[in-house]
Amino acid sequence: MSSPLIDWLDRHQIPIYLAGLAAGAAVGAAWPAGGHAWEAAIYPVLGALLYATFLQVPFTKLTAAFRDVRFLAAVLAMNFIVVPLVVAGLTAVVSLPQAVLLGVLLTLLTPCIDYVIVFCGLAGGDHQRLLAAAPLLMLVQMLALPLLLWLFVGPELAEIVDIGPFLEAFLILIVAPLLLAWATEGLATRHRSGQVIASAMSTAMVPLMTATLFVVVASQFPKISHQIDQVLKVVPIYAAFLLIMALLGLAAARLLQLDTGRARALIFSGATRNSLVVLPLALALPAAYAITPAIVVAQTLVELLGMIIFVRIVPRLVPADTATRTS
């Protein structure tokens, strides 16, 4: 479904995303009272983004991706065994207030299932396999998060987290877009209208991502700007996490002898987090945890800057001409 417009948007994705972030910050600063209105827009734009994302790879290819048991096992182990150990080490180094710590944990303990696919593709990684793994990653993190929170902070804080918003996020942001994408692809095989919808959503991928970043930052920037000291405490943690997970992902890919595409995909999956999807969960916390959503959004800002580096560095860490081993 390539077109000159899609090609142009693909080539300029990162500056467009940064422009969306800057615009969101400007609007949030100029109109802080509008934060609630922007929060209400998060679910619609994020749901549309995930719908467009799920449309990118035909579902007939997902069956083959699920058969790659070794890659799926590597992704699950990286995200639910290695990552918690890394997070434990990072949070042990710095003393954080409970509301700040909860934001860090909600973000770093949940693997990304949306724009990681975009950035992985930009770096030449196997984004089809990451797309196939997205529903599984979302389901596992939904089940694992309460246990991980209990292990990290004890039952007194884990009980504050209501599983309801997380279930709501899973159904609205994952299940519904996935079923709608499946129905759209089925329609496209029989009617031109389905092809038109799929083509339009492909063109809309970059604008939808930009809109998502805009509304998230616009809704949360007033909170960040008034508590910048707390936010700055977590920036080094988020930056260190990206660096550590890049190195561990590279080591795991070499140990498992993954080919180029899957090695790069594993690195991206281990490093990127689910901040946009867990944000509604943070927003549902009690008033005493009002800063938690801002801590979640701060990770998004750090991560997007990190992805600019990843898109350029990961292909050098895993060059195509030296990583051709097959699993």
Side-chain angles (χ1 to χ4, degrees):
M1 297 181 205
S2 182
S3 71
L5 177 58
I6 294 177
D7 292 340
W8 186 88
L9 290 171
D10 285 344
R11 288 196 304 270
H12 298 86
Q13 283 187 65
I14 292 175
I16 292 173
Y17 296 157
L18 293 177
L21 287 169
V27 171
W31 186 35
H36 293 296
W38 294 120
E39 282 183 9
I42 291 175
Y43 262 39
V45 295
L46 184 54
L49 171 65
L50 293 175
Y51 169 54
T53 299
F54 289 139
L55 273 175
Q56 294 307 296
V57 178
F59 280 91
T60 53
K61 296 184 179 180
L62 298 187
T63 302
F66 271 117
R67 290 176 184 154
D68 191 350
V69 177
R70 186 162 65 153
F71 175 75
L72 286 178
V75 168
L76 290 173
M78 181 64 65
N79 283 291
F80 299 107
I81 297 177
V82 176
V83 165
L85 293 175
V86 171
V87 174
L90 290 174
T91 54
V93 174
V94 182
S95 178
L96 299 172
Q98 284 190 337
V100 175
L101 175 63
L102 184 56
V104 171
L105 295 176
L106 283 173
T107 305
L108 295 187
L109 294 176
T110 51
C112 185
I113 49 85
D114 41 55
Y115 62 49
V116 61
I117 299 167
V118 176
F119 288 116
C120 178
L122 286 173
D126 194 336
H127 62 286
Q128 293 184 5
R129 281 183 167 80
L130 279 187
L131 180 58
L136 180 61
L137 283 173
M138 187 65 189
L139 177 61
V140 174
Q141 68 186 264
M142 181 182 69
L143 298 174
L145 184 59
L147 174 61
L148 290 172
L149 287 176
W150 184 86
L151 291 174
F152 271 91
V153 297
E156 70 280 359
L157 187 57
E159 288 173 358
I160 295 174
V161 179
D162 184 5
I163 196 62
F166 203 63
L167 284 171
E168 181 183 1
F170 178 69
L171 293 173
I172 295 176
L173 300 177
I174 302 299
V175 176
L178 191 61
L179 292 177
L180 186 58
W182 175 79
T184 303
E185 290 187 6
L187 179 65
T189 62
R190 299 186 300 272
H191 302 284
R192 176 169 172 76
S193 59
Q195 299 173 11
V196 172
I197 294 172
S199 178
M201 294 307 297
S202 179
T203 305
M205 272 289 294
V206 174
L208 282 171
M209 174 63 78
T210 307
T212 301
L213 296 173
F214 172 86
V215 297
V216 167
V217 174
S219 69
Q220 299 303 307
F221 186 82
K223 300 177 184 179
I224 295 178
S225 62
H226 288 97
Q227 302 181 75
I228 192 66
D229 58 326
Q230 297 292 337
V231 175
L232 290 177
K233 288 182 180 179
V234 300
V235 170
I237 295 176
Y238 292 149
F241 179 84
L242 285 171
L243 175 60
I244 293 170
M245 291 311 302
L247 297 176
L248 291 178
L250 176 62
R254 289 178 174 174
L255 179 65
L256 296 172
Q257 297 187 333
L258 298 179
D259 60 27
T260 302
R262 283 178 289 185
R264 294 176 183 177
L266 182 62
I267 293 172
F268 273 90
S269 179
T272 52
R273 303 292 89 194
N274 216 16
S275 55
L276 296 180
V277 175
V278 299
L279 180 59
L281 181 61
L283 293 170
L285 291 170
Y289 292 80
I291 192 176
T292 305
I295 299 302
V296 173
V297 173
Q299 192 275 339
T300 304
L301 305 181
V302 174
E303 184 171 273
L304 283 172
L305 294 175
M307 287 302 101
I308 297 175
I309 300 173
F310 267 53
V311 166
R312 289 163 172 77
I313 295 299
V314 170
R316 297 181 182 179
L317 294 175
V318 189
D321 57 345
T322 61
T324 57
R325 297 179 295 274
T326 58
S327 60

